[in-house]
Amino acid sequence: MWIFLNDRFVKREDALISVFDHGFLYGDGIYETLRAYDGRIFMLTQHLARLQRSARLIGLDIPIPEKDWPSLLGDAIARNTLHDAYLRITVSRGTGEIGLDPGLCPKPTVVVIAKPFQAYPPHLFTQGVSLITTSVHRNLATALSPQIKSLNFLNNILAKQEATKAGAFDGIMLNAEGRLTECTTSNIFFVQHGALCTPSVACGILDGITREVVLTLAREQGLKTEESAYTPEALRQAEECFLTNTTMEIMPVRDVDQHLVGSGNPGPVTLSLHKQFRAILDRFLS
Ligand code: PDD
């Protein structure tokens, strides 16, 4: 396995960073997860734009010019002879003396990991997953904006830990007002009275790239869409529910807090959107 580290590809065992890296010491850095299908990265422009946005929001200058990223990621796929791949870009503040001041770190650390894509077990897509609402709330947008895809992931890790302990696939986090936000690495959608609903960005979520694809698809299909603030009770009345992210695409939800959503089976809107999503992919790859 070849890892890109700062300015070159090195073998996995040589891909080592300093214990003084502020990504390690403070979670000071950003990341992006991308997926390649048959060697081609889906929604590449959007992922690179979000990487730049995260960097801007923490005042970090990524040392690799924006125009060089597509070929660098292409090299990461080719070097590892991958087709369906999971890629992770990590950019930390870099190595510096202990202390919070980013000025202590002269140069950011850049890492690109590319590995074979590990598909979720197929039964999750046919049966749907179980969620709980966690007691851990989503970071307050005015404290650590969920729009920064930050290395500081403890908020989500604590929610995931709670969900795993409860035997659930994942946890839905609420915001300080008790409104739905998102799961630990995905956005949430539900269908109510035939409309496709999802928490608005103002609720304190990461505006997922898959979320945007799904909203566009739904509108193209003539489906009513709504982005607003919802209480957890909205999920009790929902006809369907699903999660979206780069790695799962569209994942049906079977139950929330042990209440079946609709019949519990993946519903017609969920299935139709996933079919449309796959059709977009086929067009992208043709
Ligand atoms: N997670 N919300 C959170 C908190 C996320 O971390 C992610 C992505 C999403 C969905 O975003 P997108 O559709 O752009 O993948 C929503 C990635 C997959 C990760 O952490 O690896």
Side-chain angles (χ1 to χ4, degrees):
M1 185 190 222
W2 291 92
I3 310 281
F4 182 81
L5 177 59
N6 291 325
D7 54 1
R8 73 191 67 146
F9 282 94
V10 294
K11 289 224 169 97
R12 182 193 175 119
E13 51 276 23
D14 299 323
L16 304 171
I17 61 169
S18 165
V19 293
F20 287 95
D21 194 291
H22 281 210
F24 173 71
L25 288 175
Y26 302 115
D28 185 355
I30 52 166
Y31 81 101
E32 197 59 43
T33 299
L34 306 89
R35 179 168 172 185
Y37 297 82
D38 203 14
R40 294 178 58 195
I41 299 172
F42 187 54
M43 305 302 281
L44 174 61
T45 313
Q46 290 80 352
H47 281 286
L48 291 177
R50 192 168 65 187
L51 181 73
Q52 295 296 338
R53 182 185 75 185
S54 295
R56 199 175 58 249
L57 289 170
I58 70 161
L60 178 77
D61 278 331
I62 300 177
I64 293 170
E66 266 184 86
K67 65 169 180 34
D68 293 353
W69 276 103
S71 68
L72 171 55
L73 296 172
D75 288 350
I77 293 171
R79 278 256 184 173
N80 289 292
T81 49
L82 298 171
H83 300 283
D84 292 336
Y86 166 100
L87 293 106
R88 177 174 157 127
I89 301 172
T90 308
V91 187
S92 81
R93 192 72 70 178
T95 301
E97 268 314 309
I98 288 182
L100 299 190
D101 181 4
L104 294 166
C105 309
K107 208 166 125 292
T109 303
V110 179
V111 175
V112 178
I113 298 171
K115 57 179 193 137
F117 180 73
Q118 289 268 314
Y120 284 92
H123 76 268
L124 297 183
F125 291 96
T126 51
Q127 292 169 14
V129 297
S130 299
L131 304 178
I132 61 158
T133 315
T134 59
S135 66
V136 175
H137 280 194
R138 187 72 175 107
N139 275 332
L140 204 61
T142 48
L144 175 56
S145 169
Q147 298 234 288
I148 303 168
K149 209 156 164 38
S150 131
L151 295 186
N152 206 310
F153 227 57
L154 257 188
N155 176 207
N156 311 46
I157 290 167
L158 293 178
K160 179 75 178 180
Q161 207 172 28
E162 189 179 333
T164 305
K165 229 183 206 163
F169 173 79
D170 206 351
I172 309 167
M173 294 174 280
L174 306 179
N175 64 18
E177 286 80 43
R179 300 293 192 263
L180 302 173
T181 64
E182 57 187 341
C183 285
T184 61
T185 58
S186 59
N187 293 114
I188 189 160
F189 283 83
F190 60 95
V191 179
Q192 202 176 26
H193 307 308
L196 184 67
C197 307
T198 192
S200 65
V201 172
C203 291
I205 60 162
L206 177 74
D207 45 348
I209 291 164
T210 322
R211 174 184 181 274
E212 202 48 50
V213 173
V214 166
L215 281 171
T216 306
L217 270 177
R219 288 180 197 125
E220 280 170 9
Q221 276 188 36
L223 206 64
K224 185 171 175 256
T225 60
E226 187 186 276
E227 295 171 69
S228 189
Y230 305 102
T231 61
E233 283 67 44
L235 290 178
R236 294 274 167 92
Q237 277 126 47
E239 294 137 30
E240 301 181 33
C241 178
F242 61 85
L243 308 178
T244 62
N245 81 10
T246 296
T247 53
M248 51 175 84
E249 300 172 353
I250 295 177
M251 176 66 79
V253 173
R254 181 183 176 278
D255 54 79
V256 178
D257 295 326
Q258 299 187 327
H259 290 270
L260 280 187
V261 179
S263 68
N265 295 319
V269 175
T270 308
L271 294 173
S272 159
L273 284 169
H274 205 172
K275 206 168 136 195
Q276 301 289 325
F277 188 93
R278 284 267 146 186
I280 293 190
L281 268 175
D282 286 345
R283 284 204 293 279
F284 167 70
L285 294 173
S286 66

